[in-house]
Amino acid sequence: MLLYPTLLTAAFAATGMAAAAPAHTTGNKGTASLVQVRNPNFEFRHGPLALAKAYQKFGAPIPEDLRAAVARFRRNQKRQTGTVETDAEKHDVEYLTPISIGTPPQDLIVDFDTGSSDLWVFSTEMAAKDIKGQAVYDPNNSSTSEKLQGSTWQITYGDGSSSSGDVYLDTVTIGNLTVPNQAVEAAKKVSDEFTDDPNNDGLLGLGFSSINTVQPTPQNTFFDNVKKNLDTPLFTTDLKHGAPGSYNFGYIDPAAYIGNISWTPVDNSQGFWGFTSPGYAVGTETLRNHSISGIADTGTTLLLLPKSIVKAYYSEVQGAQYDSSQGGYVFPCSPTPPDFVFGVNNGIVTVPGDMVLYAPIDSANQNCFGGIQSDTGIGFSIFGDVALKTSFVVFDAGGLQLGWAAK
Ligand SMILES: C[C@@H](SC(=N)N)c1ccc(Cl)cc1
Ligand SMILES: C[C@@H](SC(=N)N)c1ccc(Cl)cc1
């Protein structure tokens, strides 16, 4: 979310409704007869599976109890994990991550957004005037694309930006993880904020599929589709200040953080990674008890908090004031402002003062726009990139919990 200084408008991410369409399979096409050679690496591990394959190869119906045995085996088969690097744009305004769609693979770079649940991309179905440098998805150039007839999508983001279009099922690969028949939402229209963002070819939602906007049947996110193949149904974020970070799927990298992970339960009732922080502190003072309910949101740039907390923070920053022309608090770029600390269960997360120094608002670099701003009008706080990039964060769908650790 490019909640850039002057765009601190209160609007809402789209909300969608219930269940998603099953990812569907396609049968084997054509036939081939191959001279068999013994596979030296083949290790016979599962009788029922081998038996089932024999039945299948000769077209014999598989007895129900054998099918059940095979299903049990497949469920317990070793799972996968994956990692992909994400790159910070100027001022860490958004983090862009490569994905591949279709056959042969079409490479795009998109914004992984834990605050929404649509995977949508610039496409050949858009008017040329709305494309300015972005890579586009061409479903007609993919042998595995299949139009989801009659389906459409439309989404509006917190900063007022929006996009809409139709839907294809196609193969999507992130790192070494592949989902066949992922719903890929092809844009037909995008708002100017996207057109004027040349490096961003779309968004990949990592929120809960309950707010996917595809109609008439909402679709699953990539993570929802891939998680059954993961060692464990979680992903982690390791966003960095002005440097490449990473998203990992299916595992917690012990080398990626220091100290303990503080766990807190997730409220996904609004489709977000929601949690409640027990309090906050400015600088080195002790934590003040103050419940802060918000979402962990990689798609929002700043840390948006209740007005009272924002005022308490900036009251301790020399020369800080609310500048209506900038749409937020600004303050002299030096000295470095105090740290901001928020609680996570019985742990704490420290946002260093130099991260609160979000960006200079003038070329003379005298005054800076604050990375902490008010959440007025949103209805919840948003722990965006300013909060996330100081931590290693575990988005655990299995335990429905968030884990925050220092790094
Ligand atoms: C590409 C930007 S559109 C804009 N430049 N305002 C964007 C919008 C919404 C999200 Cl969640 C993430 C990024
Ligand atoms: C949930 C995010 S939008 C997103 N990350 N897709 C949001 C909602 C409302 C406002 Cl005002 C600002 C940001």
PDB file of all heavy atoms in Angstrom, residues 164-202:
ATOM      1  N   SER A 164      -9.584  -4.209 -11.687  1.00  0.00           N
ATOM      2  CA  SER A 164     -10.671  -5.177 -11.948  1.00  0.00           C
ATOM      3  C   SER A 164     -10.372  -5.922 -13.246  1.00  0.00           C
ATOM      4  O   SER A 164      -9.543  -5.493 -14.050  1.00  0.00           O
ATOM      5  CB  SER A 164     -12.008  -4.441 -12.077  1.00  0.00           C
ATOM      6  OG  SER A 164     -11.961  -3.561 -13.199  1.00  0.00           O
ATOM      7  N   GLY A 165     -11.101  -7.062 -13.427  1.00  0.00           N
ATOM      8  CA  GLY A 165     -10.885  -7.843 -14.658  1.00  0.00           C
ATOM      9  C   GLY A 165     -11.576  -9.190 -14.613  1.00  0.00           C
ATOM     10  O   GLY A 165     -12.592  -9.359 -13.910  1.00  0.00           O
ATOM     11  N   ASP A 166     -11.003 -10.160 -15.360  1.00  0.00           N
ATOM     12  CA  ASP A 166     -11.590 -11.510 -15.375  1.00  0.00           C
ATOM     13  C   ASP A 166     -10.549 -12.518 -14.890  1.00  0.00           C
ATOM     14  O   ASP A 166      -9.480 -12.113 -14.416  1.00  0.00           O
ATOM     15  CB  ASP A 166     -12.149 -11.837 -16.766  1.00  0.00           C
ATOM     16  CG  ASP A 166     -11.136 -11.582 -17.880  1.00  0.00           C
ATOM     17  OD1 ASP A 166      -9.920 -11.531 -17.555  1.00  0.00           O
ATOM     18  OD2 ASP A 166     -11.533 -11.438 -19.035  1.00  0.00           O
ATOM     19  N   VAL A 167     -10.884 -13.804 -14.971  1.00  0.00           N
ATOM     20  CA  VAL A 167     -10.115 -14.797 -14.206  1.00  0.00           C
ATOM     21  C   VAL A 167      -9.721 -15.998 -15.069  1.00  0.00           C
ATOM     22  O   VAL A 167     -10.534 -16.499 -15.855  1.00  0.00           O
ATOM     23  CB  VAL A 167     -10.938 -15.310 -13.000  1.00  0.00           C
ATOM     24  CG1 VAL A 167     -10.090 -16.201 -12.101  1.00  0.00           C
ATOM     25  CG2 VAL A 167     -11.497 -14.132 -12.200  1.00  0.00           C
ATOM     26  N   TYR A 168      -8.483 -16.449 -14.903  1.00  0.00           N
ATOM     27  CA  TYR A 168      -7.998 -17.678 -15.546  1.00  0.00           C
ATOM     28  C   TYR A 168      -7.454 -18.607 -14.478  1.00  0.00           C
ATOM     29  O   TYR A 168      -7.014 -18.147 -13.418  1.00  0.00           O
ATOM     30  CB  TYR A 168      -6.872 -17.340 -16.543  1.00  0.00           C
ATOM     31  CG  TYR A 168      -7.383 -16.547 -17.726  1.00  0.00           C
ATOM     32  CD1 TYR A 168      -7.558 -15.163 -17.630  1.00  0.00           C
ATOM     33  CD2 TYR A 168      -7.752 -17.187 -18.910  1.00  0.00           C
ATOM     34  CE1 TYR A 168      -8.070 -14.436 -18.694  1.00  0.00           C
ATOM     35  CE2 TYR A 168      -8.254 -16.466 -19.981  1.00  0.00           C
ATOM     36  CZ  TYR A 168      -8.418 -15.093 -19.866  1.00  0.00           C
ATOM     37  OH  TYR A 168      -8.930 -14.376 -20.919  1.00  0.00           O
ATOM     38  N   LEU A 169      -7.503 -19.906 -14.743  1.00  0.00           N
ATOM     39  CA  LEU A 169      -6.750 -20.858 -13.925  1.00  0.00           C
ATOM     40  C   LEU A 169      -5.471 -21.135 -14.679  1.00  0.00           C
ATOM     41  O   LEU A 169      -5.506 -21.359 -15.905  1.00  0.00           O
ATOM     42  CB  LEU A 169      -7.543 -22.149 -13.726  1.00  0.00           C
ATOM     43  CG  LEU A 169      -8.880 -22.010 -12.984  1.00  0.00           C
ATOM     44  CD1 LEU A 169      -9.542 -23.371 -12.852  1.00  0.00           C
ATOM     45  CD2 LEU A 169      -8.680 -21.384 -11.605  1.00  0.00           C
ATOM     46  N   ASP A 170      -4.341 -21.059 -13.990  1.00  0.00           N
ATOM     47  CA  ASP A 170      -3.078 -21.342 -14.661  1.00  0.00           C
ATOM     48  C   ASP A 170      -2.045 -21.761 -13.613  1.00  0.00           C
ATOM     49  O   ASP A 170      -2.277 -21.629 -12.409  1.00  0.00           O
ATOM     50  CB  ASP A 170      -2.587 -20.107 -15.454  1.00  0.00           C
ATOM     51  CG  ASP A 170      -1.723 -20.499 -16.658  1.00  0.00           C
ATOM     52  OD1 ASP A 170      -1.213 -21.658 -16.675  1.00  0.00           O
ATOM     53  OD2 ASP A 170      -1.577 -19.676 -17.576  1.00  0.00           O
ATOM     54  N   THR A 171      -0.933 -22.262 -14.096  1.00  0.00           N
ATOM     55  CA  THR A 171       0.141 -22.707 -13.199  1.00  0.00           C
ATOM     56  C   THR A 171       0.896 -21.486 -12.679  1.00  0.00           C
ATOM     57  O   THR A 171       1.288 -20.628 -13.475  1.00  0.00           O
ATOM     58  CB  THR A 171       1.109 -23.615 -13.982  1.00  0.00           C
ATOM     59  OG1 THR A 171       0.349 -24.700 -14.521  1.00  0.00           O
ATOM     60  CG2 THR A 171       2.217 -24.149 -13.086  1.00  0.00           C
ATOM     61  N   VAL A 172       1.076 -21.411 -11.358  1.00  0.00           N
ATOM     62  CA  VAL A 172       1.832 -20.308 -10.755  1.00  0.00           C
ATOM     63  C   VAL A 172       2.984 -20.897  -9.938  1.00  0.00           C
ATOM     64  O   VAL A 172       2.771 -21.824  -9.144  1.00  0.00           O
ATOM     65  CB  VAL A 172       0.943 -19.443  -9.841  1.00  0.00           C
ATOM     66  CG1 VAL A 172       1.779 -18.391  -9.095  1.00  0.00           C
ATOM     67  CG2 VAL A 172      -0.137 -18.739 -10.672  1.00  0.00           C
ATOM     68  N   THR A 173       4.198 -20.376 -10.202  1.00  0.00           N
ATOM     69  CA  THR A 173       5.378 -20.849  -9.468  1.00  0.00           C
ATOM     70  C   THR A 173       6.003 -19.691  -8.704  1.00  0.00           C
ATOM     71  O   THR A 173       6.201 -18.615  -9.275  1.00  0.00           O
ATOM     72  CB  THR A 173       6.403 -21.457 -10.450  1.00  0.00           C
ATOM     73  OG1 THR A 173       5.816 -22.608 -11.048  1.00  0.00           O
ATOM     74  CG2 THR A 173       7.687 -21.868  -9.716  1.00  0.00           C
ATOM     75  N   ILE A 174       6.278 -19.932  -7.408  1.00  0.00           N
ATOM     76  CA  ILE A 174       6.985 -18.959  -6.572  1.00  0.00           C
ATOM     77  C   ILE A 174       8.162 -19.705  -5.963  1.00  0.00           C
ATOM     78  O   ILE A 174       7.975 -20.718  -5.269  1.00  0.00           O
ATOM     79  CB  ILE A 174       6.091 -18.416  -5.446  1.00  0.00           C
ATOM     80  CG1 ILE A 174       4.897 -17.663  -6.034  1.00  0.00           C
ATOM     81  CG2 ILE A 174       6.880 -17.520  -4.509  1.00  0.00           C
ATOM     82  CD1 ILE A 174       3.949 -17.093  -4.993  1.00  0.00           C
ATOM     83  N   GLY A 175       9.379 -19.267  -6.283  1.00  0.00           N
ATOM     84  CA  GLY A 175      10.550 -20.019  -5.805  1.00  0.00           C
ATOM     85  C   GLY A 175      10.449 -21.429  -6.378  1.00  0.00           C
ATOM     86  O   GLY A 175      10.244 -21.606  -7.583  1.00  0.00           O
ATOM     87  N   ASN A 176      10.525 -22.431  -5.538  1.00  0.00           N
ATOM     88  CA  ASN A 176      10.431 -23.812  -6.054  1.00  0.00           C
ATOM     89  C   ASN A 176       9.045 -24.423  -5.803  1.00  0.00           C
ATOM     90  O   ASN A 176       8.850 -25.622  -5.918  1.00  0.00           O
ATOM     91  CB  ASN A 176      11.485 -24.692  -5.366  1.00  0.00           C
ATOM     92  CG  ASN A 176      11.264 -24.705  -3.854  1.00  0.00           C
ATOM     93  OD1 ASN A 176      10.736 -23.740  -3.318  1.00  0.00           O
ATOM     94  ND2 ASN A 176      11.613 -25.780  -3.196  1.00  0.00           N
ATOM     95  N   LEU A 177       8.073 -23.553  -5.485  1.00  0.00           N
ATOM     96  CA  LEU A 177       6.722 -24.048  -5.206  1.00  0.00           C
ATOM     97  C   LEU A 177       5.818 -23.769  -6.402  1.00  0.00           C
ATOM     98  O   LEU A 177       5.768 -22.638  -6.888  1.00  0.00           O
ATOM     99  CB  LEU A 177       6.155 -23.353  -3.967  1.00  0.00           C
ATOM    100  CG  LEU A 177       6.914 -23.589  -2.658  1.00  0.00           C
ATOM    101  CD1 LEU A 177       6.324 -22.728  -1.560  1.00  0.00           C
ATOM    102  CD2 LEU A 177       6.881 -25.067  -2.271  1.00  0.00           C
ATOM    103  N   THR A 178       5.108 -24.788  -6.857  1.00  0.00           N
ATOM    104  CA  THR A 178       4.214 -24.630  -8.007  1.00  0.00           C
ATOM    105  C   THR A 178       2.793 -25.033  -7.637  1.00  0.00           C
ATOM    106  O   THR A 178       2.585 -26.068  -6.994  1.00  0.00           O
ATOM    107  CB  THR A 178       4.707 -25.496  -9.180  1.00  0.00           C
ATOM    108  OG1 THR A 178       5.967 -24.973  -9.620  1.00  0.00           O
ATOM    109  CG2 THR A 178       3.727 -25.449 -10.338  1.00  0.00           C
ATOM    110  N   VAL A 179       1.843 -24.187  -8.014  1.00  0.00           N
ATOM    111  CA  VAL A 179       0.427 -24.528  -7.864  1.00  0.00           C
ATOM    112  C   VAL A 179      -0.192 -24.590  -9.260  1.00  0.00           C
ATOM    113  O   VAL A 179      -0.246 -23.575  -9.956  1.00  0.00           O
ATOM    114  CB  VAL A 179      -0.310 -23.467  -7.013  1.00  0.00           C
ATOM    115  CG1 VAL A 179      -1.822 -23.694  -7.061  1.00  0.00           C
ATOM    116  CG2 VAL A 179       0.181 -23.499  -5.573  1.00  0.00           C
ATOM    117  N   PRO A 180      -0.621 -25.780  -9.691  1.00  0.00           N
ATOM    118  CA  PRO A 180      -1.340 -25.857 -10.956  1.00  0.00           C
ATOM    119  C   PRO A 180      -2.751 -25.317 -10.696  1.00  0.00           C
ATOM    120  O   PRO A 180      -3.244 -25.387  -9.604  1.00  0.00           O
ATOM    121  CB  PRO A 180      -1.359 -27.352 -11.260  1.00  0.00           C
ATOM    122  CG  PRO A 180      -1.257 -28.030  -9.925  1.00  0.00           C
ATOM    123  CD  PRO A 180      -0.506 -27.091  -9.016  1.00  0.00           C
ATOM    124  N   ASN A 181      -3.388 -24.750 -11.675  1.00  0.00           N
ATOM    125  CA  ASN A 181      -4.781 -24.309 -11.531  1.00  0.00           C
ATOM    126  C   ASN A 181      -4.988 -23.286 -10.426  1.00  0.00           C
ATOM    127  O   ASN A 181      -5.967 -23.345  -9.698  1.00  0.00           O
ATOM    128  CB  ASN A 181      -5.692 -25.517 -11.281  1.00  0.00           C
ATOM    129  CG  ASN A 181      -5.571 -26.524 -12.415  1.00  0.00           C
ATOM    130  OD1 ASN A 181      -5.613 -26.137 -13.590  1.00  0.00           O
ATOM    131  ND2 ASN A 181      -5.333 -27.775 -12.079  1.00  0.00           N
ATOM    132  N   GLN A 182      -4.031 -22.382 -10.264  1.00  0.00           N
ATOM    133  CA  GLN A 182      -4.190 -21.222  -9.371  1.00  0.00           C
ATOM    134  C   GLN A 182      -5.074 -20.202 -10.084  1.00  0.00           C
ATOM    135  O   GLN A 182      -4.921 -19.987 -11.288  1.00  0.00           O
ATOM    136  CB  GLN A 182      -2.827 -20.602  -9.070  1.00  0.00           C
ATOM    137  CG  GLN A 182      -2.885 -19.248  -8.377  1.00  0.00           C
ATOM    138  CD  GLN A 182      -3.476 -19.315  -6.972  1.00  0.00           C
ATOM    139  OE1 GLN A 182      -3.192 -20.233  -6.216  1.00  0.00           O
ATOM    140  NE2 GLN A 182      -4.338 -18.349  -6.648  1.00  0.00           N
ATOM    141  N   ALA A 183      -5.995 -19.583  -9.344  1.00  0.00           N
ATOM    142  CA  ALA A 183      -6.803 -18.517  -9.940  1.00  0.00           C
ATOM    143  C   ALA A 183      -5.908 -17.299 -10.160  1.00  0.00           C
ATOM    144  O   ALA A 183      -5.366 -16.737  -9.208  1.00  0.00           O
ATOM    145  CB  ALA A 183      -7.962 -18.159  -9.026  1.00  0.00           C
ATOM    146  N   VAL A 184      -5.723 -16.931 -11.408  1.00  0.00           N
ATOM    147  CA  VAL A 184      -4.929 -15.752 -11.773  1.00  0.00           C
ATOM    148  C   VAL A 184      -5.904 -14.710 -12.303  1.00  0.00           C
ATOM    149  O   VAL A 184      -6.599 -14.953 -13.286  1.00  0.00           O
ATOM    150  CB  VAL A 184      -3.871 -16.098 -12.850  1.00  0.00           C
ATOM    151  CG1 VAL A 184      -3.112 -14.841 -13.271  1.00  0.00           C
ATOM    152  CG2 VAL A 184      -2.922 -17.175 -12.326  1.00  0.00           C
ATOM    153  N   GLU A 185      -5.998 -13.584 -11.606  1.00  0.00           N
ATOM    154  CA  GLU A 185      -6.969 -12.561 -11.955  1.00  0.00           C
ATOM    155  C   GLU A 185      -6.322 -11.564 -12.927  1.00  0.00           C
ATOM    156  O   GLU A 185      -5.422 -10.819 -12.554  1.00  0.00           O
ATOM    157  CB  GLU A 185      -7.489 -11.893 -10.683  1.00  0.00           C
ATOM    158  CG  GLU A 185      -8.144 -12.920  -9.737  1.00  0.00           C
ATOM    159  CD  GLU A 185      -8.463 -12.381  -8.366  1.00  0.00           C
ATOM    160  OE1 GLU A 185      -8.759 -11.157  -8.247  1.00  0.00           O
ATOM    161  OE2 GLU A 185      -8.412 -13.164  -7.405  1.00  0.00           O
ATOM    162  N   ALA A 186      -6.747 -11.632 -14.168  1.00  0.00           N
ATOM    163  CA  ALA A 186      -6.168 -10.792 -15.234  1.00  0.00           C
ATOM    164  C   ALA A 186      -6.841  -9.430 -15.194  1.00  0.00           C
ATOM    165  O   ALA A 186      -8.079  -9.344 -15.247  1.00  0.00           O
ATOM    166  CB  ALA A 186      -6.364 -11.454 -16.580  1.00  0.00           C
ATOM    167  N   ALA A 187      -6.030  -8.374 -15.099  1.00  0.00           N
ATOM    168  CA  ALA A 187      -6.609  -7.022 -15.049  1.00  0.00           C
ATOM    169  C   ALA A 187      -7.084  -6.615 -16.433  1.00  0.00           C
ATOM    170  O   ALA A 187      -6.434  -6.907 -17.436  1.00  0.00           O
ATOM    171  CB  ALA A 187      -5.577  -6.029 -14.538  1.00  0.00           C
ATOM    172  N   LYS A 188      -8.260  -5.946 -16.445  1.00  0.00           N
ATOM    173  CA  LYS A 188      -8.722  -5.264 -17.656  1.00  0.00           C
ATOM    174  C   LYS A 188      -8.613  -3.756 -17.412  1.00  0.00           C
ATOM    175  O   LYS A 188      -8.361  -2.984 -18.318  1.00  0.00           O
ATOM    176  CB  LYS A 188     -10.172  -5.653 -17.982  1.00  0.00           C
ATOM    177  CG  LYS A 188     -10.321  -7.136 -18.302  1.00  0.00           C
ATOM    178  CD  LYS A 188     -11.768  -7.554 -18.461  1.00  0.00           C
ATOM    179  CE  LYS A 188     -12.252  -7.381 -19.889  1.00  0.00           C
ATOM    180  NZ  LYS A 188     -13.548  -8.099 -20.096  1.00  0.00           N
ATOM    181  N   LYS A 189      -8.777  -3.378 -16.134  1.00  0.00           N
ATOM    182  CA  LYS A 189      -8.646  -1.963 -15.749  1.00  0.00           C
ATOM    183  C   LYS A 189      -7.807  -1.874 -14.477  1.00  0.00           C
ATOM    184  O   LYS A 189      -7.932  -2.712 -13.598  1.00  0.00           O
ATOM    185  CB  LYS A 189     -10.037  -1.361 -15.465  1.00  0.00           C
ATOM    186  CG  LYS A 189     -10.913  -1.142 -16.698  1.00  0.00           C
ATOM    187  CD  LYS A 189     -12.228  -0.491 -16.287  1.00  0.00           C
ATOM    188  CE  LYS A 189     -13.173  -0.325 -17.471  1.00  0.00           C
ATOM    189  NZ  LYS A 189     -14.550  -0.004 -16.994  1.00  0.00           N
ATOM    190  N   VAL A 190      -6.968  -0.824 -14.389  1.00  0.00           N
ATOM    191  CA  VAL A 190      -6.267  -0.498 -13.143  1.00  0.00           C
ATOM    192  C   VAL A 190      -6.315   1.017 -12.962  1.00  0.00           C
ATOM    193  O   VAL A 190      -6.378   1.761 -13.947  1.00  0.00           O
ATOM    194  CB  VAL A 190      -4.790  -0.979 -13.143  1.00  0.00           C
ATOM    195  CG1 VAL A 190      -4.691  -2.471 -13.396  1.00  0.00           C
ATOM    196  CG2 VAL A 190      -3.956  -0.196 -14.135  1.00  0.00           C
ATOM    197  N   SER A 191      -6.288   1.467 -11.700  1.00  0.00           N
ATOM    198  CA  SER A 191      -6.310   2.920 -11.457  1.00  0.00           C
ATOM    199  C   SER A 191      -4.919   3.505 -11.731  1.00  0.00           C
ATOM    200  O   SER A 191      -3.927   2.773 -11.826  1.00  0.00           O
ATOM    201  CB  SER A 191      -6.731   3.201 -10.006  1.00  0.00           C
ATOM    202  OG  SER A 191      -5.765   2.671  -9.123  1.00  0.00           O
ATOM    203  N   ASP A 192      -4.868   4.820 -11.807  1.00  0.00           N
ATOM    204  CA  ASP A 192      -3.613   5.498 -12.165  1.00  0.00           C
ATOM    205  C   ASP A 192      -2.460   5.142 -11.224  1.00  0.00           C
ATOM    206  O   ASP A 192      -1.301   5.070 -11.652  1.00  0.00           O
ATOM    207  CB  ASP A 192      -3.817   7.020 -12.151  1.00  0.00           C
ATOM    208  CG  ASP A 192      -4.714   7.462 -13.311  1.00  0.00           C
ATOM    209  OD1 ASP A 192      -4.958   6.608 -14.201  1.00  0.00           O
ATOM    210  OD2 ASP A 192      -5.173   8.611 -13.311  1.00  0.00           O
ATOM    211  N   GLU A 193      -2.794   4.904  -9.930  1.00  0.00           N
ATOM    212  CA  GLU A 193      -1.689   4.596  -8.985  1.00  0.00           C
ATOM    213  C   GLU A 193      -0.915   3.370  -9.438  1.00  0.00           C
ATOM    214  O   GLU A 193       0.285   3.274  -9.228  1.00  0.00           O
ATOM    215  CB  GLU A 193      -2.229   4.349  -7.570  1.00  0.00           C
ATOM    216  CG  GLU A 193      -2.864   5.541  -6.896  1.00  0.00           C
ATOM    217  CD  GLU A 193      -4.360   5.595  -7.141  1.00  0.00           C
ATOM    218  OE1 GLU A 193      -4.844   4.895  -8.059  1.00  0.00           O
ATOM    219  OE2 GLU A 193      -5.040   6.335  -6.404  1.00  0.00           O
ATOM    220  N   PHE A 194      -1.620   2.414 -10.057  1.00  0.00           N
ATOM    221  CA  PHE A 194      -0.921   1.208 -10.534  1.00  0.00           C
ATOM    222  C   PHE A 194      -0.225   1.488 -11.856  1.00  0.00           C
ATOM    223  O   PHE A 194       0.918   1.092 -12.054  1.00  0.00           O
ATOM    224  CB  PHE A 194      -1.898   0.036 -10.666  1.00  0.00           C
ATOM    225  CG  PHE A 194      -2.322  -0.532  -9.349  1.00  0.00           C
ATOM    226  CD1 PHE A 194      -3.583  -0.276  -8.842  1.00  0.00           C
ATOM    227  CD2 PHE A 194      -1.446  -1.286  -8.589  1.00  0.00           C
ATOM    228  CE1 PHE A 194      -3.971  -0.778  -7.616  1.00  0.00           C
ATOM    229  CE2 PHE A 194      -1.826  -1.801  -7.354  1.00  0.00           C
ATOM    230  CZ  PHE A 194      -3.094  -1.534  -6.868  1.00  0.00           C
ATOM    231  N   THR A 195      -0.913   2.205 -12.755  1.00  0.00           N
ATOM    232  CA  THR A 195      -0.300   2.543 -14.047  1.00  0.00           C
ATOM    233  C   THR A 195       0.996   3.311 -13.829  1.00  0.00           C
ATOM    234  O   THR A 195       1.989   3.082 -14.511  1.00  0.00           O
ATOM    235  CB  THR A 195      -1.282   3.368 -14.898  1.00  0.00           C
ATOM    236  OG1 THR A 195      -2.420   2.544 -15.179  1.00  0.00           O
ATOM    237  CG2 THR A 195      -0.643   3.817 -16.194  1.00  0.00           C
ATOM    238  N   ASP A 196       0.982   4.190 -12.797  1.00  0.00           N
ATOM    239  CA  ASP A 196       2.144   5.063 -12.558  1.00  0.00           C
ATOM    240  C   ASP A 196       3.183   4.410 -11.658  1.00  0.00           C
ATOM    241  O   ASP A 196       4.088   5.076 -11.155  1.00  0.00           O
ATOM    242  CB  ASP A 196       1.672   6.393 -11.926  1.00  0.00           C
ATOM    243  CG  ASP A 196       0.738   7.135 -12.876  1.00  0.00           C
ATOM    244  OD1 ASP A 196       0.767   6.804 -14.084  1.00  0.00           O
ATOM    245  OD2 ASP A 196      -0.045   7.987 -12.402  1.00  0.00           O
ATOM    246  N   ASP A 197       3.042   3.095 -11.457  1.00  0.00           N
ATOM    247  CA  ASP A 197       3.998   2.359 -10.607  1.00  0.00           C
ATOM    248  C   ASP A 197       4.685   1.321 -11.500  1.00  0.00           C
ATOM    249  O   ASP A 197       4.303   0.151 -11.495  1.00  0.00           O
ATOM    250  CB  ASP A 197       3.204   1.692  -9.467  1.00  0.00           C
ATOM    251  CG  ASP A 197       4.121   1.144  -8.393  1.00  0.00           C
ATOM    252  OD1 ASP A 197       5.356   1.200  -8.571  1.00  0.00           O
ATOM    253  OD2 ASP A 197       3.590   0.637  -7.391  1.00  0.00           O
ATOM    254  N   PRO A 198       5.671   1.750 -12.305  1.00  0.00           N
ATOM    255  CA  PRO A 198       6.171   0.925 -13.414  1.00  0.00           C
ATOM    256  C   PRO A 198       6.764  -0.419 -13.008  1.00  0.00           C
ATOM    257  O   PRO A 198       6.779  -1.351 -13.808  1.00  0.00           O
ATOM    258  CB  PRO A 198       7.238   1.808 -14.064  1.00  0.00           C
ATOM    259  CG  PRO A 198       7.649   2.772 -13.008  1.00  0.00           C
ATOM    260  CD  PRO A 198       6.455   2.972 -12.139  1.00  0.00           C
ATOM    261  N   ASN A 199       7.248  -0.514 -11.759  1.00  0.00           N
ATOM    262  CA  ASN A 199       7.943  -1.750 -11.378  1.00  0.00           C
ATOM    263  C   ASN A 199       7.005  -2.823 -10.834  1.00  0.00           C
ATOM    264  O   ASN A 199       7.443  -3.924 -10.535  1.00  0.00           O
ATOM    265  CB  ASN A 199       9.002  -1.430 -10.314  1.00  0.00           C
ATOM    266  CG  ASN A 199       9.961  -0.367 -10.826  1.00  0.00           C
ATOM    267  OD1 ASN A 199      10.414  -0.442 -11.962  1.00  0.00           O
ATOM    268  ND2 ASN A 199      10.211   0.648 -10.021  1.00  0.00           N
ATOM    269  N   ASN A 200       5.724  -2.463 -10.670  1.00  0.00           N
ATOM    270  CA  ASN A 200       4.809  -3.385 -10.007  1.00  0.00           C
ATOM    271  C   ASN A 200       3.827  -3.952 -11.029  1.00  0.00           C
ATOM    272  O   ASN A 200       3.042  -3.219 -11.611  1.00  0.00           O
ATOM    273  CB  ASN A 200       4.058  -2.635  -8.898  1.00  0.00           C
ATOM    274  CG  ASN A 200       3.245  -3.584  -8.042  1.00  0.00           C
ATOM    275  OD1 ASN A 200       3.221  -4.781  -8.295  1.00  0.00           O
ATOM    276  ND2 ASN A 200       2.585  -3.047  -7.052  1.00  0.00           N
ATOM    277  N   ASP A 201       3.914  -5.284 -11.242  1.00  0.00           N
ATOM    278  CA  ASP A 201       3.082  -5.924 -12.274  1.00  0.00           C
ATOM    279  C   ASP A 201       1.798  -6.510 -11.692  1.00  0.00           C
ATOM    280  O   ASP A 201       1.056  -7.207 -12.396  1.00  0.00           O
ATOM    281  CB  ASP A 201       3.884  -7.047 -12.959  1.00  0.00           C
ATOM    282  CG  ASP A 201       5.225  -6.563 -13.483  1.00  0.00           C
ATOM    283  OD1 ASP A 201       5.328  -5.355 -13.817  1.00  0.00           O
ATOM    284  OD2 ASP A 201       6.181  -7.357 -13.544  1.00  0.00           O
ATOM    285  N   GLY A 202       1.555  -6.263 -10.379  1.00  0.00           N
ATOM    286  CA  GLY A 202       0.326  -6.794  -9.787  1.00  0.00           C
ATOM    287  C   GLY A 202       0.520  -7.089  -8.322  1.00  0.00           C
ATOM    288  O   GLY A 202       1.529  -6.711  -7.725  1.00  0.00           O
TER     289      GLY A 202
END
